[in-house]
């Protein structure tokens, strides 16, 4: 992973655990054949592509709220 992409993505998703989960899920999708949401002139790994998608606002996340027991 490129450090510059990682640092920029951390400005968008500040929680490191959430960032890791979002990047790993998106990288898995890209590796399985999903099309990238951005265009790049350089050849990027799936992880770097996921980071760029986060930086450019193409990927968002939503936390699941735990169901409260009654």
């Amino acid at each position: 992973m490129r450090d510059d992409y990682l640092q920029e993505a951390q400005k968008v998703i500040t929680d490191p655990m959430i960032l890791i989960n979002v990047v790993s899920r998106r990288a898995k999708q890209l590796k399985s054949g999903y099309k990238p949401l951005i265009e790049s002139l350089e050849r990027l790994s799936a992880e770097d592509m996921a980071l760029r998608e986060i930086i450019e606002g193409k990927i968002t996340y939503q936390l699941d709220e735990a169901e409260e027991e009654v």
Side-chain angles (χ1 to χ4, degrees), residues 11-70:
K11 293 176 185 175
V12 178
I13 301 177
T14 55
D15 186 322
M17 296 303 290
I18 294 172
L19 180 60
I20 289 168
N21 284 326
V22 171
V23 169
S24 65
R25 286 181 185 208
R26 182 60 180 150
K28 188 181 287 186
Q29 289 177 344
L30 290 167
K31 289 176 183 177
S32 70
Y34 282 63
K35 292 191 177 207
L37 300 174
I38 60 168
E39 290 187 26
S40 177
L41 298 176
E42 58 184 316
R43 183 93 171 128
L44 297 174
S45 69
E47 292 78 11
D48 287 338
M49 184 68 71
L51 288 170
R52 285 273 313 275
E53 290 177 345
I54 292 168
I55 293 165
E56 295 186 22
K58 303 293 183 180
I59 292 181
T60 59
Y61 68 97
Q62 180 178 348
L63 297 177
D64 288 336
E65 294 183 27
E67 293 183 24
E68 296 181 17
E69 293 184 25
V70 180

